[in-house]
């Protein structure tokens, strides 16, 4: 039996925490943040991964990158966690909830198609319990209508659809590392960016409107970063 909600422990955690403290870098974007991002980029074959403070923060960033305006419509499943819905509400977008496939408890692709209007800008799907949505049908729909796709893959870390990692199909994928998820850091998340045109703006949004990430890479001087 696999017990629920017991964080996995490998035995090296205290050693790593001591090393982070010794590096005087415990606020993030230190040695272990970089290792984790790089590991996920290589493991999931995604061009950019940004670590976040939660899966909710990853969803908020993804929606901000969509440039939604008041009156734009976002299609999402009627059965999901609240963060899937609160993220687009920050942009004052209109939520369009659609029904599920009762076999999987995931969003029904045909209901997505029926809900599309000329105001639809974004589709958010959620892979419930690590079970993939029907990505073949969903990708056909979003490409046909030129829509942005966000994957709420909070429960889908290490899960896949036809050999491709969940979170790497749409424009953005969002992972959670909350204590109830497959892999836990207590609180934490990750934004997967599948289109490099979003990279720089995502870094700026993540750094509260600054280009601090470029400073950390040595690309700008500390007295000139914006």
């Amino acid at each position: 039996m696999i017990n629920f909600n017991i964080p996995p422990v490998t035995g090296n955690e205290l050693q790593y925490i001591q090393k982070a403290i010794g590096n005087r870098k415990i606020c993030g974007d230190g040695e272990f943040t970089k290792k984790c991002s790089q590991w996920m980029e290589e493991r999931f074959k995604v061009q950019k991964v940004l670590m976040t403070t939660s899966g909710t923060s990853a969803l908020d960033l993804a929606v901000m990158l969509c440039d939604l305006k008041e009156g734009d419509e976002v299609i999402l499943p009627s059965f999901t966690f609240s963060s899937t819905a609160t993220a687009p509400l920050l942009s004052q977008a209109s939520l369009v909830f659609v029904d599920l496939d009762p076999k999987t408890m995931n969003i029904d692709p045909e209901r997505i198609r029926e809900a599309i209007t000329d105001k639809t800008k974004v589709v958010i799907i959620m892979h419930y319990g690590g079970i993939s949505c029907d990505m073949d049908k969903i990708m056909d729909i979003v490409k046909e209508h030129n829509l942005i796709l966000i994957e709420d893959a909070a429960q889908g870390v290490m899960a896949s659809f036809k050999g491709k990692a969940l979170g790497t199909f749409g424009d953005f994928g969002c992972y959670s590392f909350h204590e109830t998820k497959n892999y836990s850091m207590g609180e934490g998340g990750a934004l997967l960016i599948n289109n490099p045109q979003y990279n720089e703006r995502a870094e700026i949004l993540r750094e509260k409107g600054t280009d601090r990430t470029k400073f950390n890479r040595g690309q700008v001087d500390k007295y000139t970063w914006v």
Side-chain angles (χ1 to χ4, degrees), residues 6-33:
I6 297 179
V9 176
T10 68
N12 295 321
E13 285 78 8
L14 290 179
Q15 172 189 335
Y16 297 148
I17 291 171
Q18 287 176 336
K19 187 173 183 182
I21 293 172
N23 292 339
R24 299 186 177 182
K25 185 67 176 173
I26 61 172
C27 68
D29 283 341
E31 175 186 355
F32 293 101
T33 301

Side-chain angles (χ1 to χ4, degrees), residues 61-73:
L61 275 174
V63 172
M64 290 172 72
L65 290 164
C66 295
D67 287 325
L68 290 169
K69 299 176 179 60
E70 186 175 0
D72 289 342
E73 293 179 351

